[in-house]
């Protein structure tokens, strides 16, 4: 049976990793959990780490690269990172230097029949990015760790059938929560993380532009509740065309999310 799915392997401040899988390609986005956990999760879908086509990193924060050193040691799989991200990683871990495939944010490249487009995300990292992956039939968007959705990113994400979108925090829980004031400002600021209401507004925009499946991702453990994030986005989608919405679980593998058709393909026949 043809495999065309996105699987969330881990999502949130304790670690991020997801698997994009088509018939020909298996691509991991971020390596924010241990190599052992990655290996176990991949075994669950019949893959070994060395069988991966590539890894795409979004940025250098530890919840996205925790498993990177061991991954580089154990496999020869190409790992892609933006120039700024690669520089910071190489400074911290010299052994990464000659192993990362660098690109400029905004560039595109191909991985086993998948057209990868990159875009800059506003976040307090060196050179963070999000991704659009197209295999000719489906168009998949990935955007987490962004303080807001910039115009360019929004333009690329519109038309994606399946989108992984950050729904990081509830603003009231963040304000009343345990974080120090400076951290509250950082999280809610323009270089922080997307809140539930901001996610909901943009999710409605995406559904109006063809999204049929949305995965709410990178939920804060302290400042969010999965039901709350889900409710907010579902409420914003009322009256719009049907769209499946699910929350990426923090510490375990999510249900397979089908890669939905690229609306621009079907519109143009
Ligand atoms: Zn981050
Ligand atoms: Zn993060």
């Amino acid at each position: 049976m043809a495999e065309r799915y996105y699987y969330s392997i881990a999502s949130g401040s304790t670690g991020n990793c997801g698997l994009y899988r088509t018939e020909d390609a298996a691509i991991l986005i971020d390596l924010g959990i241990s190599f052992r956990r990655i290996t176990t999760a991949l075994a669950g879908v019949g893959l070994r780490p060395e069988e991966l086509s590539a890894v795409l990193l979004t940025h250098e924060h530890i919840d996205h690269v925790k498993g990177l050193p061991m991954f580089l040691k154990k496999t020869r799989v190409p790992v892609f990172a933006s120039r700024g991200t690669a520089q910071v990683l190489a400074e911290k871990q010299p052994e990464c230097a000659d192993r990362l495939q660098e690109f400029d944010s905004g560039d595109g490249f191909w991985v086993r029949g998948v057209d990868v487009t990159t875009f800059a995300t506003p976040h307090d990292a060196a050179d963070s990015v999000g991704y659009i992956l197209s295999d000719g039939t489906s168009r998949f968007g990935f955007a987490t760790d962004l303080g807001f959705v910039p115009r360019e990113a929004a333009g690329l994400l519109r038309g994606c059938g399946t989108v992984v979108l950050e729904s990081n925090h509830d603003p009231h829980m963040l304000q009343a929560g345990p974080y120090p004031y400076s951290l509250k400002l950082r999280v809610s600021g323009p270089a922080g993380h997307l809140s539930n209401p901001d996610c909901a507004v943009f999710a409605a925009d995406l559904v109006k532009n063809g999204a049929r499946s949305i995965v709410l991702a990178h939920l804060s453990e302290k400042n969010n509740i999965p039901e709350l994030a889900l409710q907010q986005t579902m409420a914003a989608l009322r009256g719009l065309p049907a769209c499946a919405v699910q929350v990426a679980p923090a510490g375990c593998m999510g249900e397979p999310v089908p890669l939905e058709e690229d609306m621009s393909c079907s519109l143009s026949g």
Side-chain angles (χ1 to χ4, degrees), residues 149 158 165-167 194-209 214 216 229 232-237 240:
V149 184
R158 288 186 192 115
L165 183 62
E166 173 164 55
S167 192
L194 208 63
S195 69
N196 293 346
D198 289 345
C199 170
V201 167
F202 188 58
D205 184 339
L206 290 174
V207 172
K208 286 174 195 159
N209 286 283
I214 293 178
L216 306 180
Q232 282 230 281
T233 287
M234 294 299 279
L237 301 188
L240 297 178

Side-chain angles (χ1 to χ4, degrees), residues 2 15 33 50 78 81 88 90 94 96 112 122 124 136 140 145 179 195 258:
I33 51 175
E50 55 272 30
V88 175
C96 291
R112 299 280 311 247
D124 55 353
F140 168 83
D145 300 74
Y179 282 8
S195 69

Side-chain angles (χ1 to χ4, degrees), residues 65-104:
V65 299
K66 187 182 169 200
L68 175 65
M70 192 56 82
F71 188 90
L72 292 177
K73 209 184 244 182
K74 298 281 192 182
T75 80
R76 302 305 298 171
V77 174
V79 177
F80 291 84
S82 69
R83 196 169 299 279
T85 300
Q87 256 163 25
V88 175
L89 287 170
E91 278 162 24
K92 282 191 212 153
Q93 300 157 11
E95 68 273 23
C96 291
D98 54 347
R99 286 291 313 278
L100 298 174
Q101 316 261 333
E102 291 181 26
F103 59 84
D104 285 319

Side-chain angles (χ1 to χ4, degrees), residues 58-64 123-125 145 186 192-193 218:
T58 59
H59 63 298
E60 73 278 15
H61 288 163
I62 191 68
D63 56 320
H64 299 262
H123 190 54
D124 55 353
D145 300 74
R186 183 185 90 73
H193 291 277
H218 211 301

